[in-house]
Amino acid sequence: MRKKSILFVLPAFVIYTFLMIIPIIGAFYLSLTDWNGISQAYHVVGIKNYIDMLSDARLRNAIMVTLKITLTVSISVNVLGLFVACLLNRAGKMINALRSIFFLPYVISTVAISFIWLSILSYTGVLNTILNALGMGSVIADYIGNAQNAIRSICVIEIWRTLGFHMVLYLASIQTVPEELYEACTMDGGTGWQKFRFVTLPMIVPGITISVIMSIMTEMKQYDVVKVITNGGPGYSTETVTYNIVTQAFGNNMLGYSSAIAVFLFAIIAVITIIQLRVSRKMEV
Amino acid sequence: MANVVNKKEEKKNLPLKILLVLLACFFALPLYITIINVFKPTKVISSSPISLPFPPIMDNITSVLNDPNVNVFEMYKNSIMITLFGATGCIIVSSLAAYYIARMKTKLSGFLYVYFLFGLMVPYVIVYVPLVTMFNKLHLTGNLPSLIMVFVSGSISFSVFMYQGFIGGISRELEEAAIIDGASSLTIFVKIIMPLVKPCTTTVAIFIGLSMWNDFLTPLLIGQVKTITVGIYTAIGPYASDWGTVFAYVLLATLPVTIAYIFAQKQFIAGLTAGAIKG
């Protein structure tokens, strides 16, 4: 390559700088102001927004909801994903067809998926109708109406949506385990469980790490499902951090304050990404 | 002998296979519910939600397509334009940039690599307020080409990262031969590099194309363009309890992606997981 080839970088550099880097710097700056998005005038208030965040009960709730969803979904999706992957690994010719079925929800838009589940989980929806028809009217519940149930429903939807993805990650990991190790284990009289515990599990640690980080990252940014299923309600009890940022900014015109929350989320995501990059670099070796 | 063992294995696995099929059927229930209920009137959906649609009716779909307030074709057009031009544009600018970064071992190229990678750690929600402000000031709200540029910018980090890794793994011998033959950098890039990185292009195209097609917040907030995803959200609003209509919209929004997926399952699965692991 020659020196003048720097022109190769120019289009990407210009687009990325104007529409990504400058807005990010803008968000950092806005987070130090009290701008409401409407008036021309605004004041630089320093770290006031960040101090306000400490006493913001609504934000604290959004953080708790996000953590609940992240924890529940990451654990479930990784345990179930690994379990189904182990079963699938022994399914012979059926692997491909089954894999495709489990993976399908991952390619469909989250908004569409949320509407499907809304029709199932709402009070007059599919699930309650079936329960009624089966004479189990006593277990009918409002899966969306109160905060606790709604958060559980959101978790179920996210588990269903991302299970296939994590299962495929695990399946790929499991298939890299050399057959000889299992044979050696059999020679030593190892049972099926021991094979899993002492051969499969230690061999797929990098795969587990990636899969867990991926699920954490996805759920930390959760927005779409909450928007369709509960709209953050009742009240603001099911708001996630991203949902909170968007509503504070575009619903309540607190552009400065919402930017401060976004910067806070950025700091957390950045730390997780650095861990992720470290881990995937190790994997390549 | 080996055959006998295999047959034994097969038999032993039969209960496992049955379990897996049952599991897959249970897992696919929400999809089954969507497909059958599109062809039933809402009254029937409410009373018997999992029965097969006999006789199947098309009313839900036709009423959605004929709704004067909702222009499904306009939504499709917007989504297709964004996905097609957004992904193509991003692939062109990112592969060019990645080629320079992968081949020039200078301080500048090292800096550019980190600069482009930075976008991977950013939760995209951070840029919405500044971008919406920018769009309002420049009167670009609702402008499709500018929205496409936003989509391009959002996928540059990932694409540069993928192409840089892939191009870095290609031996330079072909390029060196071409340089001796007097080929320009651009000719080498188009004629030699791009054909060699086709697998990477497939991965990137599927990964960023799908994320653009399915994106909800970006077209909703920036530019307020009705893509199919934003479109069904706003269209369903007034009909949220009219399940026939809801299912019709869901089908319209998911059909193109599902068809593409059926024809290219392997590429989709490989593209999305490879992309996720590396990005």
Side-chain angles (χ1 to χ4, degrees):
Chain A
M1 283 199 99
R2 284 146 238 198
K3 271 264 162 63
K4 66 177 180 190
S5 309
I6 186 72
L7 286 174
F8 277 36
V9 187
L10 204 61
F13 183 84
V14 171
I15 297 171
Y16 177 76
T17 305
F18 271 92
L19 296 173
M20 194 84 185
I21 297 296
I22 292 178
I24 292 170
I25 297 170
F28 271 85
Y29 176 69
L30 278 178
S31 79
L32 304 172
T33 72
D34 64 354
W35 196 42
N36 62 14
I38 304 161
S39 62
Q40 290 289 324
Y42 62 87
H43 306 98
V44 175
V45 294
I47 58 165
K48 180 179 177 297
N49 288 327
Y50 292 93
I51 294 169
D52 286 350
M53 278 166 61
L54 295 172
S55 55
D56 182 347
R58 182 170 171 178
L59 174 64
R60 204 175 308 139
N61 180 70
I63 294 172
M64 287 313 290
V65 171
T66 310
L67 287 179
K68 261 186 216 165
I69 295 176
T70 306
L71 206 67
T72 315
V73 175
S74 316
I75 293 175
S76 318
V77 99
N78 281 288
V79 172
L80 286 172
L82 180 56
F83 176 70
V84 181
C86 285
L87 294 184
L88 210 57
N89 191 40
R90 293 156 57 195
K93 284 174 192 156
M94 285 162 68
I95 288 186
N96 283 337
L98 290 170
R99 194 177 64 157
S100 298
I101 294 173
F102 282 106
F103 198 81
L104 177 60
Y106 194 71
V107 302
I108 299 176
S109 93
T110 314
V111 173
I113 283 177
S114 304
F115 277 118
I116 297 178
W117 278 92
L118 191 63
S119 77
I120 296 173
L121 296 172
S122 35
Y123 195 69
T124 54
V126 176
L127 183 56
N128 280 344
T129 311
I130 295 174
L131 288 174
N132 243 337
L134 293 173
M136 295 162 72
S138 55
V139 291
I140 280 179
D142 192 348
Y143 309 103
I144 289 163
N146 67 63
Q148 213 177 9
N149 282 352
I151 291 170
R152 283 185 199 141
S153 297
I154 291 164
C155 290
V156 168
I157 298 169
E158 273 300 285
I159 293 166
W160 185 78
R161 187 179 77 84
T162 58
L163 177 68
F165 172 73
H166 294 279
M167 188 206 72
V168 168
L169 288 185
Y170 282 119
L171 200 58
S173 271
I174 292 172
Q175 283 169 347
T176 62
V177 180
E179 195 58 37
E180 294 86 56
L181 291 179
Y182 290 112
E183 282 163 16
C185 190
T186 317
M187 296 283 227
D188 293 341
T191 61
W193 166 253
Q194 283 170 329
K195 275 186 206 168
F196 174 76
R197 171 65 188 82
F198 297 108
V199 178
T200 314
L201 218 47
M203 288 301 286
I204 61 166
V205 167
I208 297 174
T209 319
I210 290 292
S211 175
V212 170
I213 293 174
M214 287 298 308
S215 56
I216 293 174
M217 291 279 264
T218 311
E219 298 318 318
M220 295 282 282
K221 302 178 204 162
Q222 179 54 249
Y223 176 87
D224 294 5
V225 180
V226 176
K227 180 71 181 166
V228 174
I229 297 292
T230 67
N231 226 333
Y236 49 77
S237 55
T238 56
E239 273 186 3
T240 57
V241 175
T242 301
Y243 192 96
N244 184 271
I245 294 169
V246 174
T247 0
Q248 294 285 26
F250 301 105
N252 302 344
N253 291 323
M254 292 163 72
L255 269 57
Y257 184 61
S258 78
S259 296
I261 306 174
V263 170
F264 162 72
L265 181 66
F266 163 66
I268 296 169
I269 299 279
V271 171
I272 304 175
T273 316
I274 290 167
I275 298 171
Q276 181 195 10
L277 285 176
R278 285 250 167 96
V279 174
S280 34
R281 202 160 292 161
K282 260 187 207 158
M283 268 180 80
E284 279 168 34
V285 176
Chain B
M1 184 68 196
N3 233 345
V4 178
V5 174
N6 269 347
K7 269 193 183 155
K8 250 188 187 169
E9 278 288 300
E10 289 277 297
K11 262 190 192 160
K12 218 175 86 190
N13 278 347
L14 196 64
L16 174 97
K17 282 183 181 172
I18 294 169
L19 174 72
L20 267 172
V21 171
L22 288 177
L23 213 62
C25 287
F26 178 71
F27 185 82
L29 264 180
L31 301 171
Y32 167 80
I33 288 169
T34 311
I35 296 166
I36 53 158
N37 285 334
V38 170
F39 304 103
K40 293 196 282 196
T42 297
K43 262 189 194 163
V44 181
I45 298 175
S46 309
S47 56
S48 52
I50 51 171
S51 64
L52 286 169
F54 284 120
I57 54 137
M58 298 298 286
D59 297 18
N60 293 324
I61 293 177
T62 48
S63 80
V64 162
L65 292 179
N66 293 330
D67 187 338
N69 300 319
V70 179
N71 190 341
V72 175
F73 297 102
E74 172 84 18
M75 296 175 195
Y76 272 140
K77 196 202 87 194
N78 287 335
S79 281
I80 290 169
M81 299 275 270
I82 287 173
T83 310
L84 200 67
F85 290 106
T88 314
C90 184
I91 284 173
I92 292 172
V93 298
S94 305
S95 56
L96 278 168
Y99 179 45
Y100 177 86
I101 293 169
R103 283 299 186 242
M104 294 296 273
K105 292 287 167 247
T106 58
K107 265 190 187 158
L108 179 64
S109 72
F111 164 76
L112 284 169
Y113 182 59
V114 175
Y115 184 73
F116 280 119
L117 228 60
F118 175 71
L120 285 177
M121 348 180 150
V122 180
Y124 200 68
V125 66
I126 200 172
V127 302
Y128 285 133
V129 167
L131 274 183
V132 169
T133 312
M134 196 193 272
F135 266 57
N136 286 342
K137 280 226 168 99
L138 300 173
H139 303 290
L140 289 173
T141 311
N143 180 290
L144 193 60
S146 341
L147 181 63
I148 291 173
M149 293 311 270
V150 171
F151 272 105
V152 171
S153 74
S155 293
I156 282 179
S157 294
F158 171 77
S159 312
V160 167
F161 182 59
M162 293 296 285
Y163 274 112
Q164 195 273 346
F166 210 92
I167 295 172
I170 296 174
S171 108
R172 293 170 186 237
E173 280 169 25
L174 278 174
E175 284 162 73
E176 275 156 11
I179 290 172
I180 293 167
D181 288 346
S184 73
S185 295
L186 194 62
T187 316
I188 294 174
F189 176 76
V190 174
K191 295 243 164 96
I192 297 176
I193 298 295
M194 278 322 263
L196 284 173
V197 297
K198 250 188 199 157
C200 184
T201 305
T202 313
T203 301
V204 172
I206 288 175
F207 194 89
I208 68 176
L210 200 64
S211 75
M212 289 172 185
W213 179 276
N214 285 337
D215 199 325
F216 176 53
L217 256 179
T218 310
L220 180 73
L221 295 179
I222 305 168
Q224 294 165 7
V225 172
K226 273 199 182 167
T227 60
I228 191 77
T229 311
V230 174
I232 65 159
Y233 178 78
T234 43
I236 287 175
Y239 302 100
S241 55
D242 181 359
W243 297 122
T245 309
V246 173
F247 285 123
Y249 278 122
V250 166
L251 186 77
L252 288 172
T254 52
L255 202 60
V257 171
T258 312
I259 291 173
Y261 175 72
I262 289 170
F263 281 104
Q265 293 158 41
K266 280 209 175 125
Q267 286 86 340
F268 265 79
I269 295 175
L272 289 175
T273 48
I277 292 171
K278 291 183 184 134

